[in-house]
Amino acid sequence: MNTTMENFVGLSAVLTGFSQEIIAPTLDPVDIKSEYLKKFQDEILKESKDSHLVSQILEQFSTLKNAGKSDQEIGEAMLSDQNTQDFVMACRKLIFMWYSGAWPTISNDGLSTSSELLSSKSYVSGLAWQVMQAHPMGDSKYRYGYWETAPAPLSDYTGH
Amino acid sequence: MNTLHLLPCMTSTIKATALFLLALIVQGCGEDSQKSTSENKTQMSHKMATGTLPTLSPIIPLEITSTVNPPTLESLQHDFDVFSWQSFIALNWPANADGSPNTNLTIGDQQGAPTVWQLWKESRDIFLPSGKKPPAWNQKDKLPTACQGLALDSLPSHAIYLTQVGKTPNVLDESEEPFQTGPLIDQNGQYTRFEILTNETMFNYIVDNQLYNKKGQKAFAKDTDFPSSNTQSKTVGSIMLKAAWVVMGEKYDARQFHTTQALVYNNPDEQPGVKPACHLETVGLVGFHIAHKTQDEPQWIWSTFEHIANAPTKGQPHSRSFYNYFNAACQDCAINQPPPRPWNPATPHTPPTQVERVIPITNEVKALNAAYHSALESAVAGSVWKNYELISTQWPTNANSPIDPTGAPAPSFLANTTLETYIQGEVPQTSSSCIGCHNNATTTAGLFSDFTYLLQRAH
Amino acid sequence: MSTSDSPEYDAVIVGAGIAGALVAYKLAEKGKKVLILESGPAVPADRSGYMETFFTANAKTPESPYPPTTQNPNAATDNNPLGLPDPSTENTPRYTVLQIGAWRQPQQCYFTYTPQDANVSPDSPSAKFAFASSYERIGGGTTWHWLGTTLRLFPNDFELKTLYNVGVDWPSGANGNTFYQNLVPYYEKATHEIGVAGDKDQMVQLYKQFNVSPNGEYGVNYNFPMPGIVNSTVDFAFSNSITSLTVDGNPVYVTSTPQGRNSLPGERRQCAGNTNCIPICPIQAKYDATVTLAKAMQTGNVEIRYKTVACNIQVNDQTHDICGIDYLQYTEQTGIATGKGVATGKIYVLAAHAIETPKLLLMSNQSKSFPNGVANSSDQVGRNLMDHIMYLAWGLAKDPVYAYRGPLSTAGVESVRDGDFRKQRSAYRIEIGNEGWQWAANDPFTTLADFVFGQNTSQLNGDSKNQQGQPLRFNPSLPANSQLFGKQLVETLNGVYIRQLRLGYLIEQLPDPENRVQLSDTEKDHLGLPRPKLTYRIQEDYVRNAFVSAKKVSTEIFNAMGAIEYTQEAAAPVLNGSPSEVTSTNFQYKGTNFKFYGAGHIVGTYRMGDDKKTSVLNSRQQSWDHSNLYMVGSGVFPTIATGNPTLTIAALTLQAADNMLKDLANA
Ligand SMILES: Cc1cc2nc3c(=O)[nH]c(=O)nc-3n(C[C@H](O)[C@H](O)[C@H](O)COP(=O)(O)OP(=O)(O)OC[C@H]3O[C@@H](n4cnc5c(N)ncnc54)[C@H](O)[C@@H]3O)c2cc1C
């Protein structure tokens, strides 16, 4: 019996490989998760024209989670061929959004991706900057000279 | 991947435990007799629930008192806002000649009397042009030459309170907001004046480590680490203040402001073209920042207060007929724009700045302001302090984050319309965020200066 | 509406970039009354507006934060996939990086171009290309998005013809290096105006190597205003492993770059490494011309009119003196003109940068004595357009180098900038990038999309091989076109991003009179002013040889580091074809396809010289034709030389300001 937001954050953490405490901390003044959930719901509805798809995805996650599956197992099950193409693509786009702060469009030939940023907040929240142990270009919280030495370990950035 | 991943979760646990201890201690410093934590908690929530007035105390809080367990973002914001008000009350308590709060009086008594913080050390008395060791805590450096003719004996009779505490008026030698963003012009066409002060703990640290000149900062050769308030030893840590003052007269009714006599000084170091000049003026407080370094908030706690009539909020109806920094009659005044250069506080008249608040005050803060205003009114009928309101408090939600030295501040943005007039907003990096900006402050030697730009004033 | 009765100023300046602002400041400081006409909007009190536009821009090109908007995704069509605005609807259109691909489509590209000859072979020296560099038209000008590299040129740069028998000399070049020697004190002043952080010892090392002064002295008793900005982990990866190499007889070593960014707090804030010098430094730790402009305004002697576009220079047909500059004003970028007037002064200074200045001169063709445009008796106005054309190389290091941190570039290889090889090929400097593959491959987003959606644009997730035949799949134990999630995605992306390397070669283009700015006969901006028409080629094998060298050296450097090279071979040039088919900056040379990039260094279109028949300005930067007309900026450079231009622009401008003060004193 989890809320939509709890399932959304839980699923997002599993798919991105980041801990929940990093992407949606208990004390969360930035609250990017709310912006992403809404965008996810709107875009998936628009793209799939299936008004149940998002809740189906979140319910399937919830079921797997409550069954005690590991993150790896959950991720594999969510992205498996057993699900519809729309279902799997929605999950992959969710990963892309968390990493980039942008909503992706795949080219017709499938070979490339373009994307549109949601907001300045989403841009600076992109996990791509965290996974590279750096900071969003244009928004560093570090101090003069930090670039002279190696950053904190990756685990500090991902929370795992 | 390693055990460090627990950190973000642990932080909140640590905070909760620390707060648990604090509740005991801070209360113990107050005038009330000691209460157990659980009693305290029930009482706090009770107070808020029934509208019982908050206590007014001359004691500066050393930490926040958590009221909800487990704490949430909203509950902690409330606790920090209470901390801000408690600090504001304590700092604006009437002072004895030695700078301690006069416990025979309450806040709001003797309007115009110097308050505790006004006897703190002004930055100009710390970082002397000669680079010499500053005069002792309770002594002032010599006045700028232009101010010297205007000594105490010429003080008008209503400046009586200053002479009572044997104090020379402060020298207001700043007329611009930080980083050359510009001066703030009042409705009389005059420049708003600013000053920065530190408490004794912070001053002592600067003196003890010879951080008052460039040479000393170079020799120090490490990151600055000001002492923080300590609830175990019950010691007050470092506190710095920034105040904005408007010169009284014409459109400004001195009875509406906390006023003082000040030496309003045109400082030639501010901009080329400024000539030294000094006037003794009655000035009224319009903006007030408090930054307090505490044990659990190494990024400091940033409280900001303003006079209630400073400016309307963008997109909201105007609630007053007169604003300190807004003229409803001016239709084509550009909003939040500094005057064009040249900037010179001696300019006889500059078109007033048309100011709007960009980020509205939250309903929670408004309610807290109302509660404190009632308490101030019931302590002293007609208290001038009812004319001051909290805007918000910025604090680190994840103070010990290994990857974010700013500790993920809440709220993400915070500005005072008199101190960050031109950089209000919600754009990362450029819009005013106390912690975000001060995180990059360094000494003249280029080393981290612990969230204060003050040390850059050293010669 | 008309303000032709405006008071007379000592000087009227067109353009409020670094060149215009410096002139204004130096004249006003001495009590002269100055008027600046600036085509763009005022310098904002708060850079948040530009920052917000930057943060939300999908393509974070240098121009993305600034008006007019570079891209409107909602306006995208099949024919205009990027949603580029129509320049004919804008009052101050300018060329942007996104327009390069649309160079043959005037509805999307501000510049127009002379047509390509029919059936040009891919390696033809006369093939025409798109110009690859951009500029701004806003208060403060292009330094809003400059990188901040502030190197001096070498004395030999000023004598290319005498020493190496190519290009031309700078004025009085044949007389030893007097031009350079006279400039040195101004270089020192310029370094202070800009506020440069630099490491003197490293400059001395270079000066010894190139025998600039016998003892290697970098300015007697001179030091930089601030210590050098610390090098990055990326720089160290290079400096630790490439010293065994030589290039055409020169040793290869890494020099920390003098930069117009604060290493210490001062009037500006200390650099915090936001890795965003281009397009915009959020905290103004990097110098931009608004700093000098503020100082100029603070004197009280400068008036600036924004959104005011100079459109004609009036000449007194008797004296040939300039007697006024006509301008148009607007309030909205796409609105109608709202004002016009004539600005008059004792002297006139053009500082509108190397495209707009010649355009203005050519537009000013109403004088009977100067039918080809003001100051153009030599027919040199608009000619010899140059840029540092860039070769980019990128790779993945063996061990983490932690890219994407610190200023965009903190070091480079300066030790290969001069030598006898300059008889055979263009010289270059090599810039080390701290921004991973952001410029080279639009990362982090390209690699991200590859591993989320199973694509291979980055060459990391497929069966790609590099030009040396090495397989490029990042993790050979994963199948091609992997689609990852969770831990494996984290480890893969991390492994890639923290190893990314990028080198950029700034190649010295030669002056070619046929590379030029003219006026378009057909296309206009929204004020009705003609748009530029460009011709741009890389004719000389001398220049193309430098690409061959750069390619070879990159591979050697990556090999020496144990890195894998990912530089993608450029697509074959398509020179003839429909506007959407043709390539823009691809060329073929000796069987290899190259793509060149722009360095943003627009140079040469109103050069100075010793002879009024072959130059627009004398060495005082004064028009040969009109004694009260000066021009400043990189358009005055006879050659583009081997250093980024702006420190030299500033030094020359300070020198010119002294000349102007002398003239005003004598007037
Ligand atoms: C991406 C990029 C990176 C760069 N990095 C470096 C670097 O690291 N080091 C370096 O040395 N250089 C660098 N440069 C080059 C540098 O930016 C320019 O050399 C410099 O800004 C030119 O200054 P300027 O004052 O001559 O011209 P600008 O700064 O372009 O100013 C010209 C002004 O004239 C105004 N104007 C134009 N037309 C008119 C008109 N008709 N009427 C009135 N006003 C007009 C414009 O609005 C503008 O404000 C870089 C450039 C780019 C694009």
Side-chain angles (χ1 to χ4, degrees):
Chain A
M1 279 302 291
N2 296 333
T3 66
T4 301
M5 183 55 85
E6 279 164 355
N7 285 332
F8 178 71
V9 168
L11 172 65
S12 299
V14 164
L15 292 178
T16 59
F18 277 65
S19 93
Q20 282 201 34
E21 253 319 297
I22 294 283
I23 65 169
T26 318
L27 303 179
D28 189 2
V30 175
D31 191 28
I32 195 65
K33 60 188 182 295
S34 301
E35 196 173 331
Y36 285 169
L37 174 57
K38 178 158 193 320
K39 181 76 177 177
F40 185 60
Q41 289 169 327
D42 292 353
E43 290 297 324
I44 295 308
L45 176 61
K46 221 168 28 181
E47 290 179 11
S48 70
K49 305 194 177 58
D50 174 352
S51 59
H52 301 295
L53 185 53
V54 168
S55 46
Q56 220 181 319
I57 289 171
L58 296 180
E59 272 158 33
Q60 180 157 334
F61 166 76
S62 174
T63 310
L64 292 161
K65 183 83 192 168
N66 292 339
K69 302 279 187 212
S70 72
D71 284 4
Q72 186 62 27
E73 288 164 337
I74 297 174
E76 278 167 13
M78 295 301 292
L79 299 171
S80 110
D81 294 348
Q82 310 282 294
N83 304 307
T84 65
Q85 269 186 14
D86 280 351
F87 183 109
V88 174
M89 185 49 95
C91 292
R92 294 203 197 285
K93 288 193 165 187
L94 180 62
I95 303 178
F96 187 91
M97 177 165 65
W98 273 101
Y99 270 89
S100 66
W103 189 258
T105 307
I106 318 276
S107 62
N108 290 336
D109 61 10
L111 295 180
S112 64
T113 302
S114 62
S115 62
E116 195 159 334
L117 281 163
L118 276 61
S119 63
S120 52
K121 191 158 96 176
S122 75
Y123 169 76
V124 300
S125 300
L127 298 178
W129 311 111
Q130 306 290 317
V131 87
M132 60 170 70
Q133 297 161 264
H135 59 80
M137 292 178 84
D139 184 30
S140 162
K141 302 208 163 49
Y142 302 115
R143 298 175 186 143
Y144 175 78
Y146 74 83
W147 53 89
E148 200 183 14
T149 49
L154 177 60
S155 53
D156 284 351
Y157 288 85
T158 61
H160 282 307
Chain B
M1 282 185 201
N2 70 26
T3 50
L4 274 175
H5 77 275
L6 282 171
L7 259 176
C9 322
M10 275 167 58
T11 320
S12 40
T13 333
I14 292 169
K15 179 160 278 160
T17 333
L19 296 174
F20 182 78
L21 285 169
L22 278 176
L24 255 176
I25 293 150
V26 173
Q27 200 59 36
C29 313
E31 282 165 279
D32 298 340
S33 58
Q34 295 207 357
K35 297 185 183 80
S36 84
T37 317
S38 54
E39 268 171 355
N40 175 38
K41 262 187 199 154
T42 8
Q43 178 150 358
M44 285 290 276
S45 31
H46 176 70
K47 268 182 190 169
M48 291 306 157
T50 61
T52 314
L53 298 180
T55 319
L56 305 180
S57 156
I59 293 170
I60 298 171
L62 302 180
E63 248 307 347
I64 66 153
T65 308
S66 181
T67 49
V68 171
N69 202 359
T72 64
L73 189 69
E74 293 72 26
S75 79
L76 286 168
Q77 185 65 53
H78 170 84
D79 302 334
F80 278 98
D81 290 340
V82 169
F83 175 94
S84 294
W85 260 112
Q86 289 172 342
S87 306
F88 185 80
I89 302 283
L91 292 173
N92 283 299
W93 205 270
N96 291 315
D98 67 353
S100 62
N102 182 341
T103 44
N104 297 325
L105 299 175
T106 189
I107 179 169
D109 280 337
Q110 292 194 353
Q111 191 165 332
T115 61
V116 167
W117 68 267
Q118 286 175 276
L119 284 95
W120 287 8
K121 203 79 173 172
E122 288 176 274
S123 67
R124 66 172 304 276
D125 284 339
I126 306 175
F127 305 102
L128 309 183
S130 61
K132 288 219 177 80
K133 185 174 175 178
W137 169 247
N138 49 12
Q139 280 164 26
K140 291 182 79 78
D141 189 43
K142 66 175 191 308
L143 295 173
T145 319
C147 298
Q148 281 172 9
L150 311 161
L152 274 177
D153 42 7
S154 70
L155 274 182
S157 56
H158 62 269
I160 178 156
Y161 294 119
L162 277 183
T163 40
Q164 252 177 16
V165 296
K167 187 182 174 303
T168 323
N170 281 359
V171 179
L172 302 180
D173 63 353
E174 290 176 44
S175 69
E176 279 174 29
E177 296 185 21
F179 306 123
Q180 308 254 344
T181 44
L184 170 64
I185 311 300
D186 69 25
Q187 293 293 307
N188 291 333
Q190 302 303 305
Y191 280 52
T192 302
R193 306 292 176 141
F194 309 100
E195 63 179 333
I196 297 185
L197 306 97
T198 68
N199 72 347
E200 194 169 358
T201 309
M202 194 159 167
F203 174 72
N204 287 342
Y205 181 88
I206 292 171
V207 173
D208 293 347
N209 294 294
Q210 296 182 21
L211 298 175
Y212 47 78
N213 64 27
K214 282 188 174 165
K215 205 171 130 223
Q217 292 184 3
K218 196 159 187 196
F220 189 64
K222 55 178 185 266
D223 286 356
T224 313
D225 185 10
F226 287 107
S228 39
S229 283
N230 188 305
T231 51
Q232 273 90 52
S233 61
K234 298 185 191 172
T235 45
V236 181
S238 304
I239 303 179
M240 58 188 163
L241 307 172
K242 196 163 185 186
W245 301 92
V246 69
V247 178
M248 290 292 104
E250 294 182 54
K251 300 216 169 99
Y252 295 90
D253 174 3
R255 291 167 306 178
Q256 302 300 318
F257 296 87
H258 169 63
T259 56
T260 190
Q261 293 292 310
L263 292 164
V264 173
Y265 177 56
N266 297 346
N267 183 355
D269 292 340
E270 270 199 306
Q271 288 293 341
V274 177
K275 304 247 169 6
C278 194
H279 301 278
L280 186 63
E281 303 275 8
T282 307
V283 293
L285 186 67
V286 285
F288 194 62
H289 274 327
I290 313 169
H292 185 162
K293 189 174 179 190
T294 58
Q295 237 169 340
D296 288 345
E297 286 81 22
Q299 290 86 354
W300 308 54
I301 299 171
W302 303 78
S303 314
T304 196
F305 288 82
E306 289 190 37
H307 192 270
I308 49 173
N310 278 350
T313 301
K314 186 175 159 187
Q316 293 185 6
H318 303 163
S319 54
R320 302 179 179 276
S321 53
F322 176 79
Y323 287 99
N324 298 332
Y325 294 102
F326 183 86
N327 176 5
C330 186
Q331 298 299 318
D332 53 1
C333 282
I335 304 296
N336 298 340
Q337 291 300 316
R341 288 179 189 251
W343 293 333
N344 189 334
T347 313
H349 185 272
T350 306
T353 317
Q354 188 83 335
V355 180
E356 280 184 358
R357 182 181 312 292
V358 173
I359 303 176
I361 300 176
T362 64
N363 288 336
E364 291 74 14
V365 171
K366 281 185 187 159
L368 189 67
N369 286 339
Y372 272 91
H373 288 165
S374 305
L376 288 162
E377 172 71 19
S378 85
V380 175
S383 172
V384 76
W385 297 109
K386 268 172 43 191
N387 291 338
Y388 294 88
E389 62 189 3
L390 173 70
I391 307 306
S392 189
T393 318
Q394 199 185 44
W395 53 283
T397 60
N398 187 2
N400 300 316
S401 164
I403 55 166
D404 180 359
T406 69
S412 301
F413 301 93
L414 175 59
N416 185 303
T417 63
T418 66
L419 293 160
E420 292 92 21
T421 316
Y422 309 113
I423 52 169
Q424 303 180 66
E426 300 191 271
V427 180
Q429 288 289 333
T430 44
S431 296
S432 180
S433 156
C434 322
I435 296 179
C437 175
H438 288 88
N439 177 50
N440 290 138
T442 56
T443 65
T444 52
L447 292 170
F448 176 61
S449 59
D450 201 0
F451 293 93
T452 176
Y453 283 98
L454 258 186
L455 299 182
Q456 287 179 17
R457 298 177 174 218
H459 292 275
Chain C
M1 196 141 132
S2 168
T3 44
S4 51
D5 55 347
S6 57
E8 180 166 304
Y9 296 87
D10 288 308
V12 174
I13 300 172
V14 178
I18 180 172
L22 274 175
V23 172
Y25 177 42
K26 289 295 144 186
L27 298 190
E29 205 185 27
K30 290 283 178 329
K32 304 298 172 206
K33 297 287 175 201
V34 175
L35 172 67
I36 307 179
L37 310 177
E38 165 52 51
S39 63
V43 176
D46 171 13
R47 47 183 65 199
S48 295
Y50 291 168
M51 278 298 288
E52 175 70 16
T53 313
F54 157 75
F55 278 135
T56 52
N58 290 319
K60 297 200 170 355
T61 56
E63 312 82 20
S64 59
Y66 310 105
T69 183
T70 52
Q71 205 182 6
N72 175 6
N74 298 329
T77 60
D78 281 352
N79 189 28
N80 180 6
L82 299 175
L84 301 173
D86 183 345
S88 69
T89 65
E90 296 174 338
N91 289 327
T92 54
R94 85 301 199 195
Y95 191 58
T96 68
V97 165
L98 291 178
Q99 295 173 11
I100 294 173
W103 67 305
R104 289 288 180 195
Q105 307 191 59
Q107 290 80 24
Q108 296 171 39
C109 178
Y110 172 57
F111 288 174
T112 63
Y113 289 88
T114 52
Q116 193 76 268
D117 294 340
N119 303 321
V120 186
S121 71
D123 59 355
S124 163
S126 60
K128 292 174 180 170
F129 306 108
F131 193 66
S133 282
S134 68
Y135 57 97
E136 289 304 329
R137 296 179 78 182
I138 51 175
T142 308
T143 48
W144 272 98
H145 62 58
W146 77 319
L147 171 61
T149 299
T150 39
L151 292 155
R152 288 187 200 174
L153 306 182
F154 291 136
N156 288 0
D157 286 330
F158 296 86
E159 299 174 72
L160 207 56
K161 182 77 186 170
T162 301
L163 296 173
Y164 305 113
N165 199 29
V166 285
V168 294
D169 288 342
W170 288 46
S172 57
N175 313 334
N177 51 24
T178 48
F179 189 89
Y180 170 79
Q181 290 305 344
N182 291 337
L183 200 57
V184 167
Y186 291 102
Y187 264 137
E188 296 181 357
K189 286 182 192 151
T191 308
H192 279 274
E193 286 300 335
I194 292 175
V196 176
D199 183 336
K200 183 177 177 180
D201 290 345
Q202 303 210 19
M203 289 300 121
V204 169
Q205 184 183 9
L206 269 184
Y207 273 44
K208 283 193 176 138
Q209 182 197 329
F210 290 120
N211 201 21
V212 169
S213 48
N215 56 0
E217 192 55 77
Y218 182 75
V220 186
N221 301 326
Y222 176 77
N223 204 347
F224 290 100
M226 280 172 277
I229 297 223
V230 293
N231 281 149
S232 67
T233 44
V234 175
D235 297 333
F236 296 135
F238 284 98
S239 50
N240 292 339
S241 52
I242 62 174
T243 40
S244 57
L245 301 176
T246 57
V247 175
D248 293 324
N250 279 318
V252 176
Y253 57 88
V254 171
T255 300
S256 143
T257 310
Q259 300 152 61
R261 309 185 195 107
N262 278 34
S263 61
L264 288 176
E267 281 176 28
R268 306 189 302 261
R269 284 166 68 179
Q270 185 188 35
C271 175
N274 279 287
T275 324
N276 215 55
C277 321
I278 307 168
I280 180 168
C281 175
I283 63 170
Q284 205 181 21
K286 179 192 76 177
Y287 171 87
D288 59 58
T290 69
V291 171
T292 305
L293 203 53
K295 287 201 223 164
M297 301 308 292
Q298 184 63 31
T299 63
N301 293 325
V302 179
E303 183 191 332
I304 182 161
R305 295 193 196 143
Y306 286 111
K307 298 187 176 177
T308 300
V309 182
C311 56
N312 181 51
I313 304 170
Q314 296 183 11
V315 181
N316 178 322
D317 270 317
Q318 262 85 58
T319 63
H320 292 182
D321 275 351
I322 303 302
C323 52
I325 294 186
D326 299 329
Y327 60 79
L328 290 169
Q329 292 179 304
Y330 64 92
T331 42
E332 301 299 327
Q333 181 59 235
T334 54
I336 51 159
T338 52
K340 62 178 180 182
V342 190
T344 55
K346 295 191 181 104
I347 62 168
Y348 296 84
V349 185
L350 304 185
H353 206 359
I355 302 289
E356 297 300 327
T357 292
K359 194 189 92 179
L360 175 60
L361 292 166
L362 295 172
M363 274 158 55
S364 306
N365 56 5
Q366 272 140 47
S367 157
K368 288 186 200 63
S369 323
F370 297 92
N372 296 327
V374 163
N376 198 18
S377 66
S378 63
D379 189 34
Q380 289 299 308
V381 168
R383 294 188 185 271
N384 303 305
L385 173 68
M386 288 168 270
D387 189 2
H388 281 129
I389 39 181
M390 291 192 70
Y391 176 80
L392 284 197
W394 60 104
L396 272 196
K398 207 167 57 229
D399 300 317
V401 298
Y402 302 110
Y404 299 91
R405 297 158 76 249
L408 284 176
S409 175
T410 38
V413 177
E414 312 300 336
S415 60
V416 298
R417 276 169 55 188
D418 192 26
D420 223 31
F421 68 86
R422 287 176 95 175
K423 291 178 179 143
Q424 274 81 46
R425 68 153 171 94
S426 287
Y428 49 71
R429 64 175 289 261
I430 314 175
E431 174 190 273
I432 298 172
N434 286 332
E435 85 298 358
W437 295 357
Q438 191 238 1
W439 184 10
N442 192 29
D443 250 2
F445 305 108
T446 301
T447 298
L448 171 66
D450 282 356
F451 286 105
V452 173
F453 299 119
Q455 300 164 345
N456 186 36
T457 314
S458 64
Q459 313 178 87
L460 291 155
N461 191 25
D463 298 315
S464 311
K465 292 206 163 83
N466 69 9
Q467 297 180 65
Q468 294 73 41
Q470 290 167 298
L472 295 179
R473 193 182 307 167
F474 176 67
N475 184 346
S477 66
L478 288 175
N481 301 102
S482 289
Q483 306 183 68
L484 308 179
F485 76 95
K487 190 163 182 270
Q488 203 163 38
L489 179 64
V490 164
E491 282 168 3
T492 304
L493 292 176
N494 176 262
V496 170
Y497 294 142
I498 65 175
R499 288 179 172 78
Q500 292 184 339
L501 303 167
R502 188 273 291 172
L503 294 172
Y505 294 70
L506 284 74
I507 294 170
E508 180 177 30
Q509 193 171 15
L510 290 178
D512 171 355
E514 294 310 312
N515 282 354
R516 64 189 295 202
V517 182
Q518 295 169 284
L519 302 179
S520 167
D521 316 312
T522 51
E523 302 303 326
K524 296 198 175 356
D525 66 22
H526 197 243
L527 292 173
L529 306 177
R531 283 159 40 190
K533 177 172 76 180
L534 269 69
T535 306
Y536 192 59
R537 305 173 305 187
I538 306 173
Q539 287 226 65
E540 308 84 354
D541 283 355
Y542 180 84
V543 181
R544 294 182 176 215
N545 285 339
F547 278 83
V548 176
S549 165
K551 181 168 191 272
K552 174 168 157 280
V553 170
S554 303
T555 305
E556 285 170 10
I557 290 178
F558 289 137
N559 284 344
M561 298 173 77
I564 307 227
E565 185 165 5
Y566 277 76
T567 315
Q568 241 165 329
E569 187 179 357
V574 179
L575 299 169
N576 298 103
S578 76
S580 55
E581 279 166 11
V582 292
T583 52
S584 48
T585 61
N586 299 32
F587 68 94
Q588 204 176 72
Y589 185 58
K590 296 193 171 159
T592 305
N593 295 325
F594 290 98
K595 178 181 173 67
F596 68 88
Y597 297 79
H601 304 163
I602 315 173
V603 164
T605 49
Y606 43 96
R607 68 182 180 185
M608 53 181 170
D610 292 322
D611 181 353
K612 66 175 293 184
K613 288 204 236 15
T614 55
S615 58
V616 179
L617 306 172
N618 61 27
S619 62
R620 303 178 80 234
Q621 295 184 65
Q622 181 185 31
S623 158
W624 289 110
D625 296 336
H626 318 275
S627 63
N628 67 341
L629 178 63
Y630 281 85
M631 297 175 212
V632 286
S634 39
V636 311
F637 293 14
T639 62
I640 191 164
T642 58
N644 309 43
T646 308
L647 183 73
T648 305
I649 293 178
L652 286 168
T653 301
L654 292 170
Q655 195 178 36
D658 275 356
N659 296 333
M660 294 173 208
L661 283 168
K662 271 182 216 142
D663 288 5
L664 284 169
N666 295 336

